[in-house]
Amino acid sequence: MILIDWDRTARLAPGIVLVFGTGLIGGAAVRAIVSRIGTARKRHFEWNWAELAAPEATALEAATEELLTARPDARLTVIWAAGRSGFGSDDPAMELELRAFRRVLATVRRIAAAVPEERRAFIHVSSAGGLFEGQTACGPLAVPSPLRPYGTGKLAQEDLVLEDAGLGRRHILRPSSVYGYAPGARRGLIAALIAAAVRGRPATIMGSLTTQRDYVYAIDIGRFIAARTFDETPPGAATEIALLASARPTSIFEVIQLIEAHQDARLLLRIDPRPENARDNTFLPNSLPSDFTPTRLSEGIALTAAAMTHDRFMGAML
């Protein structure tokens, strides 16, 4: 996990941010937050995904408390973008993630006790795909109806956040099918297809070519998280639930065409004859926050390909 802090500037109050999970979304959030400050300090702390060991929690608490003592007027924001679960995760895997999440909440409550409630915030990254799998044209009143343990587990995490007023202002973010690239981060469909095109190797499609999904660029999510981190509006409504999607449904076949056009290469494909992840999942424009502007898919694919190509030429393995 990463601890970010900064002093008062002409535009910003002093702040402290704890980021649990620095993969595709968490990493994008860290970069967006740091880029808006310019003078932020970052510290990395070991964090065991399966067990939040006492020495790790103690070190994190001590460092944060030291910063809060030096900056009694600082705002504290905690971002949870962690978890190793995926659509195929079973009940034991989701229970393990929930236990890890409970430990983090307990640590946060101890740290936040020294911060006035109006200066606390908690941002939880959930999953629209897990909550609304199989639902199409979802609007602002769509009701989560998970079809597998992954969605049920994410909903249980949301409930813990909603029930815990001690976290301060709470933001539950529900991104749809996230894409982008970060070294070492988990790859989704788009990054995997781009890597296959660059290397000239086959790619396996785990859904149907006609499956409709709503793809959202990870960097857009990172910017949205940064905006909420720096939002000093007094907490009228203590909780926000925000769907982050493109509201432009795209089939897997269309994604393949966009990537082939950008890479000027034909993809070698293996299609799973019995896909377990082939349900449609789409959202309406009025379900998005008014201040969320998603990148067009063609542009996001180009940016993702550029980042992956840069890493390849710099010697990284795709």
Side-chain angles (χ1 to χ4, degrees):
M1 65 84 56
I2 292 180
L3 169 61
I4 307 171
D5 72 280
W6 63 91
D7 300 319
R8 180 177 295 280
T9 70
R11 298 178 297 107
L12 297 171
I16 299 167
V17 179
L18 308 180
V19 185
F20 291 91
T22 55
L24 195 56
I25 294 177
V30 169
R31 291 189 295 275
I33 290 168
V34 171
S35 68
R36 288 185 58 165
I37 304 166
T39 57
R41 290 168 291 272
K42 289 194 305 180
R43 276 186 276 177
H44 293 258
F45 285 80
E46 291 297 323
W47 183 63
N48 186 312
W49 146 249
E51 296 289 337
L52 187 57
E56 297 166 347
T58 300
L60 175 61
E61 289 180 41
T64 308
E65 288 167 1
E66 181 181 348
L67 291 171
L68 287 169
T69 299
R71 302 178 188 82
D73 56 343
R75 300 177 69 222
L76 174 66
T77 302
V78 179
I79 300 167
W80 167 273
R84 295 183 179 178
S85 61
F87 262 62
S89 296
D90 57 14
D91 285 315
M94 295 311 302
E95 180 57 35
L96 177 64
E97 182 168 305
L98 188 62
R99 287 205 303 270
F101 187 58
R102 288 182 187 275
R103 293 189 191 98
V104 168
L105 291 180
T107 298
V108 170
R109 279 193 293 270
R110 289 194 295 270
I111 293 171
V115 181
E117 187 173 337
E118 66 272 13
R119 294 207 302 269
R120 305 178 206 162
F122 191 95
I123 300 173
H124 176 250
V125 179
S126 185
S127 169
L131 271 56
F132 299 100
E133 182 182 4
Q135 298 188 48
T136 57
C138 295
L141 301 181
V143 178
S145 182
L147 299 179
R148 60 181 78 207
Y150 174 70
T152 302
K154 290 299 182 184
L155 198 56
Q157 292 175 23
E158 289 189 6
D159 288 341
L160 288 178
V161 174
L162 292 172
E163 293 165 0
D164 196 341
L167 298 173
R169 189 167 24 167
R170 287 146 285 163
H171 305 271
I172 293 174
L173 311 185
R174 295 171 170 174
S176 59
S177 299
V178 182
Y179 72 97
Y181 174 72
R186 180 187 301 169
R187 282 190 199 153
L189 171 70
I190 289 175
L193 291 177
I194 292 172
V198 171
R199 301 173 70 182
R201 296 186 179 179
T204 300
I205 302 295
M206 304 304 292
S208 166
L209 291 182
T210 59
T211 297
Q212 295 272 327
R213 290 287 163 77
D214 201 309
Y215 299 94
V216 61
Y217 191 36
I219 290 178
D220 294 338
I221 301 173
R223 292 189 186 116
F224 188 85
I225 290 174
R228 292 302 183 263
T229 299
F230 296 113
D231 181 10
E232 297 187 19
T233 305
T239 305
E240 173 191 39
I241 299 178
L243 175 78
L244 304 182
S246 69
R248 299 188 186 102
T250 307
S251 70
I252 292 179
F253 179 71
E254 292 173 286
V255 170
I256 292 168
Q257 287 185 311
L258 287 170
I259 292 173
E260 287 182 334
H262 183 269
Q263 296 298 120
D264 193 23
R266 293 283 293 178
L267 279 163
L268 305 173
L269 301 173
R270 291 191 292 252
I271 310 297
D272 188 341
R274 292 185 175 181
E276 295 184 0
N277 188 13
R279 296 182 181 92
D280 294 336
N281 190 206
T282 64
F283 303 91
L284 297 175
N286 66 352
S287 63
L288 309 183
S290 59
D291 59 340
F292 182 68
T293 305
T295 298
R296 294 191 68 87
L297 184 57
S298 56
E299 181 183 352
I301 285 174
L303 291 168
T304 302
M308 297 179 73
T309 303
H310 175 268
D311 259 19
R312 182 173 175 83
F313 283 124
M314 293 297 289
M317 294 296 291
L318 286 176

